[in-house]
Amino acid sequence: MIKFILGIIVGAAVLLLVEFLWVTRGGLSMATAASPLPGERYLANHAIATSIGRAAQDQSPVSPDEANLIAGAKVYQQYGCMGCHGSYGQGPSDMSKRMYPHIPPLLPPSEGVTDDPVGVTRWVVRNGIRFSGMPAFNGMLNETQQWQVSQLLAHANQLSPAVRKELGGKSE
């Protein structure tokens, strides 16, 4: 039994040493253009989903009516969302291409987060996403503003001409 436990300890120590040497000898590129590590996407997506947890079931106290969607569009502009996630009809911003992970476009022509529950989007707006460049807006936006911008993004593929115009798109 002692040999078995000693084998586990030695095996773990060797594994840690190999990882340490790999990272410190340049085997791990931290460049934004580098390929993801094996399992990186899986682990990151799983960690985010676990963190969001029950927030996915949260129902918005803010309805997706014209007034709230326009207010959400103003939040999207005034708090810098447009600078990273792009404006209506423009696709991903130039900033997105230089970041890792890439910043997702949230407005048409992209699908954005229209297929996510609005509670998930609100959780991301409120808390941000670690190691991604997405900041938390909990101290900057009040609850209503968080829900308004989340409703805007949840309904981005069915916005009225007035809301599209507010987002820099054509109002036709």
Side-chain angles (χ1 to χ4, degrees):
M1 179 68 154
I2 297 288
K3 288 183 181 181
F4 177 73
I5 293 172
L6 187 59
I8 289 175
I9 293 171
V10 169
V14 169
L15 181 62
L16 288 173
L17 178 64
V18 168
E19 288 178 3
F20 175 78
L21 291 173
W22 180 60
V23 169
T24 59
R25 302 285 189 234
L28 173 64
S29 175
M30 294 303 291
T32 58
S35 298
L37 296 172
E40 180 178 355
R41 283 192 181 114
Y42 171 80
L43 290 173
N45 289 335
H46 189 71
I48 291 169
T50 301
S51 296
I52 292 170
R54 292 190 181 135
Q57 299 166 3
D58 290 351
Q59 297 299 309
S60 176
V62 172
S63 65
D65 61 26
E66 181 95 356
N68 281 321
L69 294 178
I70 287 175
K74 289 179 180 179
V75 167
Y76 187 85
Q77 283 188 309
Q78 292 171 356
Y79 288 87
C81 308
M82 190 176 286
C84 292
H85 295 286
S87 59
Y88 192 91
Q90 302 301 313
S93 68
D94 288 337
M95 174 76 72
S96 169
K97 298 169 190 163
R98 295 190 307 265
M99 296 282 291
Y100 182 81
H102 294 302
I103 302 168
L106 297 178
L107 298 173
S110 167
E111 188 176 305
V113 293
T114 57
D115 57 344
D116 289 353
V118 71
V120 169
T121 303
R122 194 287 189 130
W123 186 94
V124 172
V125 168
R126 179 179 180 82
N127 298 293
I129 299 178
R130 191 176 210 166
F131 305 122
S132 74
M134 175 65 191
F137 284 91
N138 193 33
M140 298 173 70
L141 301 177
N142 63 38
E143 295 277 322
T144 301
Q145 291 171 311
Q146 291 173 27
W147 283 113
Q148 286 170 329
V149 75
S150 298
Q151 286 285 29
L152 169 80
L153 298 173
H155 295 87
N157 59 352
Q158 51 194 7
L159 299 175
S160 71
V163 179
R164 290 194 308 258
K165 184 177 181 185
E166 189 71 37
L167 291 167
K170 294 182 180 170
S171 61
E172 309 126 28

